[in-house]
Amino acid sequence: MGRIASFHLIDEPAWKTPIVLSRLGTDRLRLARIHGLAFWRLLGTGRGDDTGRGADLSRSALFAVWDDEHHLDAFLAGNSLARRWRRAEQSWHVRLRSIGGHGTWKGVDPLAGLDAGSGDGPVAIITRANVRRRSWRAFG
């Protein structure tokens, strides 16, 4: 059994926005200490299908790569972050295997060693980019 990836989307009520933003900082410290978590990135999100400058500050996401499915299961079952996410207004979690991909994330290939999936079922396409301020108009 090889690595598995997960994606977690957490949506909180608008009044919790300051708390959500502060957690982006404190959750980094917690995630760095989770056994079996090989790679992770906390992510901000845009509003709906808008690719412009706007951000949805009440919603956050985590992309994670785990050493194996056992470590992901242990995180979801007992970690304080996962328990908090279950109490969120809305949350969505998915397990991911690789059917292809390319590129690096700050010099790291997060898909290296990921268990192979098949294209027979649902497929997720994850695209991540830094958009420089001078490119916002063209990007949006």
Side-chain angles (χ1 to χ4, degrees), residues 45-76:
T45 65
R47 288 190 190 111
D49 61 357
D50 183 6
T51 59
R53 288 182 271 226
D56 186 341
L57 301 178
S58 64
R59 187 169 50 181
S60 59
L62 169 69
F63 175 75
V65 177
W66 305 87
D67 287 338
D68 55 46
E69 208 153 354
H70 169 76
H71 287 99
L72 172 55
D73 290 338
F75 170 77
L76 292 173

Side-chain angles (χ1 to χ4, degrees), residues 89-106:
E89 187 170 89
Q90 293 182 32
S91 61
W92 183 75
H93 313 276
V94 65
R95 293 167 190 250
L96 303 166
R97 290 178 172 75
S98 178
I99 58 172
H102 67 278
T104 62
W105 209 326
K106 293 190 178 186

Side-chain angles (χ1 to χ4, degrees), residues 25 123 128:
V123 175
R128 190 231 163 251

